[in-house]
Amino acid sequence: LGASEEKENGILRRSMMQCLMPFVYKNRSYKDEFGMFEIGRTVHGTKEDGSADEHRTLGVILYSKSTSEKALYLRAVDMVNTIVSELKHVAVSYSKIEPEHVWQHPKNTASIVASGVRIGTINTLHPTTLSKIAKNAYVVCIEIDMDDFDSVAYTNLEFEEPTKFPTIDYDLSLVVPEGVRFDDISKCWDKKTNPELMKVSVIDIYDSESTKSITIRLSFGLETRTLTGEEVQKRIDVILEKLGQMNIVLRG
């Protein structure tokens, strides 16, 4: 299936996906959509004493004939966010990286980072590898190094009583220049200058040869009263101005 093997310090380095993809291939005819996971050890070269550097690894693979590749990828992102949030109570960031295996997609491969620590990789499949599994389906892979994940500091939960007043949601569809990350964009709506901003959610992501865009939902609210549309619009105008300074514009 095009899975790669790399030698590092004389030790064969494997990915958990090399174990999972053959099972996806064998089960592709039984169901239009399914997921698989495996927890085991992968070798990352050798230690100073010459022994194998084994890492505990979680591998997850999602397969679907009925869901678009983008929707399947976002489902995988939501799974990673939930795992990290529930166990460490920290946010996750993703950065596009060059493929580290031949079966990883040249554009849709990203590192998974929590509190500055790279804990894994998320990717779709290279078209050549995908065609050998199924020509009418999509596959998304998640691999998390549990040893690196253990090193991420645990953050205590902070509880806030939900407001009794209705919130106002505002969706922004933004065209983002190449190389600009979500972490960079999020600086445009920091909590200090937007105290009424209660939540920010990613609704949609679109990435083509010529355009990269993201749709976010900003939820505004107060604990003491209902905000007016004019008050929210003032905050949105300031956010759009800051986005414009980064050459980020509304999608027409």
Side-chain angles (χ1 to χ4, degrees), residues 32-243:
D32 287 347
E33 186 171 284
F34 59 85
M36 294 182 175
F37 77 93
E38 182 177 1
I39 298 175
R41 294 181 180 272
T42 55
V43 177
H44 290 217
T46 57
K47 299 180 181 178
E48 292 182 0
D49 61 4
S51 60
D53 181 16
E54 295 182 323
H55 287 229
R56 295 172 300 156
T57 304
L58 168 65
V60 180
I61 194 163
L62 304 180
Y63 172 93
S64 180
K65 289 183 179 179
S66 56
T67 303
S68 68
E69 187 174 53
K70 180 172 67 174
L72 195 64
Y73 188 89
L74 290 175
R75 186 185 303 171
V77 168
D78 188 53
M79 289 177 63
V80 174
N81 291 345
T82 300
I83 291 171
V84 177
S85 175
E86 289 293 327
L87 296 179
K88 296 291 186 176
H89 305 152
V90 297
V92 184
S93 63
Y94 302 86
S95 297
K96 181 179 177 181
I97 59 173
E98 293 297 319
E100 298 167 319
H101 302 276
V102 296
W103 43 264
Q104 291 175 329
H105 196 283
K107 291 187 177 180
N108 299 331
T109 298
S111 62
I112 304 170
V113 179
S115 297
V117 178
R118 179 180 172 181
I119 62 172
T121 307
I122 183 171
N123 65 274
T124 59
L125 290 185
H126 191 287
T128 302
T129 303
L130 182 61
S131 67
K132 293 179 180 179
I133 295 178
K135 295 182 179 180
N136 59 343
Y138 296 107
V139 175
V140 178
C141 306
I142 303 168
E143 200 159 14
I144 296 178
D145 187 314
M146 298 307 294
D147 291 327
D148 290 336
F149 185 44
D150 280 351
S151 70
V152 175
Y154 175 89
T155 301
N156 292 325
L157 284 174
E158 294 183 3
F159 294 94
E160 292 183 4
E161 183 178 353
T163 177
K164 300 176 183 178
F165 299 91
T167 58
I168 298 178
D169 293 338
Y170 205 110
D171 290 357
L172 295 177
S173 293
L174 308 169
V175 179
V176 182
E178 186 67 33
V180 176
R181 300 167 52 193
F182 182 79
D183 286 352
D184 302 322
I185 301 174
S186 63
K187 296 174 184 177
C188 296
W189 53 75
D190 62 283
K191 188 68 175 177
K192 184 177 180 180
T193 55
N194 295 276
E196 305 92 349
L197 184 58
M198 306 188 75
K199 184 180 179 182
V200 180
S201 306
V202 177
I203 303 301
D204 192 20
I205 296 175
Y206 177 77
D207 197 354
S208 68
E209 292 287 343
S210 58
T211 305
K212 177 182 178 182
S213 68
I214 182 172
T215 300
I216 57 172
R217 176 165 295 161
L218 305 171
S219 300
F220 295 86
L222 285 175
E223 296 180 1
T224 55
R225 61 179 177 83
T226 301
L227 285 168
T228 66
E230 291 76 11
E231 288 175 313
V232 173
Q233 188 61 54
K234 288 181 180 179
R235 297 297 189 192
I236 294 296
D237 290 342
V238 173
I239 290 172
L240 289 174
E241 182 179 354
K242 291 181 179 179
L243 290 169

